[in-house]
Amino acid sequence: MKLEAIPIRIALLQAADAPAYKVLRDASLLRTPEAFSTDYATAVTRPPAVYSALFSQPEHGMFYLGAFTKDGQLVGSIGFSREQPRSKRHIGHINAVMIDVNFEHRGIARQLLEACIAHAQRIEGLEMLELGVTASSERAVRLYERAGFQPFGRMPRAVVIDGVGYDHLLMLRALPGCPSLNVSD
């Protein structure tokens, strides 16, 4: 069920966005804990300053994008980090994709993902993007497949909540200039 699209502005998150990001993250952790490696009880105690520090590390190959409404409300975000060891600097990771529950099914996750991929493609030496997604989240898996990600593995019980294990599907997307990959699930 796709709702009416709304105009969204995608921008790099800044330190001033940390309080709004924390609200979005805490709500997402509470609503879909199986999608995160961090638990709500731990994250809720973190001050917004923890996130401010993350938003100001582009020299370390890390960035976060936010989706903002026309009135400036943060309604979604996506994170990116680059491997630091020299032998792995060709790999980037997409993480922490979150959409405010009141703005789901409006194409915002797709817009954030497209913007993140475009931003990553401008990073010199980056060849591929990797992510893990809750395998049972069919909607999210389809989103990534439509964006060119292919499954290459599965982590059984990647997250366990109240004794229930959730598998993560590992997915990969080659960027332009990447040598041919042999990717199979």
Side-chain angles (χ1 to χ4, degrees):
M1 167 182 87
K2 187 169 180 166
L3 300 174
E4 180 184 333
I6 58 170
I8 292 295
R9 176 181 59 87
I10 307 289
L12 285 169
L13 290 177
Q14 305 296 319
D17 299 314
Y21 178 84
K22 178 176 173 36
V23 169
L24 177 66
R25 184 167 176 82
D26 289 351
S28 297
L29 283 164
L30 197 56
R31 192 168 43 91
T32 55
E34 70 280 2
F36 296 90
S37 58
T38 303
D39 63 278
Y40 175 79
T42 301
V44 76
T45 65
R46 291 183 183 145
V50 169
Y51 303 112
S52 299
L54 293 176
F55 301 157
S56 55
Q57 296 191 19
E59 70 278 2
H60 296 293
M62 180 183 295
F63 65 84
Y64 287 79
L65 298 174
F68 297 89
T69 62
K70 64 181 177 186
D71 62 354
Q73 179 185 357
L74 179 66
V75 296
S77 68
I78 190 169
F80 172 87
S81 62
R82 185 178 190 179
E83 288 281 354
Q84 292 305 303
R86 186 179 306 208
S87 62
K88 297 182 87 177
R89 299 237 346 122
H90 62 290
I91 303 170
H93 300 276
I94 291 179
N95 58 64
V97 179
M98 301 177 287
I99 305 298
D100 181 307
V101 68
N102 298 309
F103 291 86
E104 288 182 338
H105 311 299
R106 296 175 186 251
I108 296 171
R110 179 187 48 75
Q111 291 177 63
L112 280 164
L113 182 59
E114 288 171 356
C116 186
I117 292 168
H119 199 83
Q121 287 176 331
R122 294 191 297 268
I123 298 173
E124 187 176 336
L126 199 63
E127 294 180 1
M128 62 183 80
L129 299 175
E130 183 263 341
L131 59 83
V133 60
T134 306
S136 60
S137 180
E138 295 174 10
R139 190 175 193 92
V141 171
R142 279 195 314 272
L143 168 74
Y144 296 127
E145 287 175 337
R146 280 189 231 116
F149 285 84
Q150 298 176 290
F152 73 90
R154 188 180 193 101
M155 167 101 29
R157 295 177 58 82
V159 175
V160 177
I161 300 164
D162 297 328
V164 177
Y166 297 88
D167 294 0
H168 276 188
L169 186 62
L170 307 174
M171 302 184 82
L172 185 70
R173 182 188 194 277
L175 296 176
C178 180
S180 179
L181 301 175
N182 182 13
V183 178
S184 62
D185 185 21

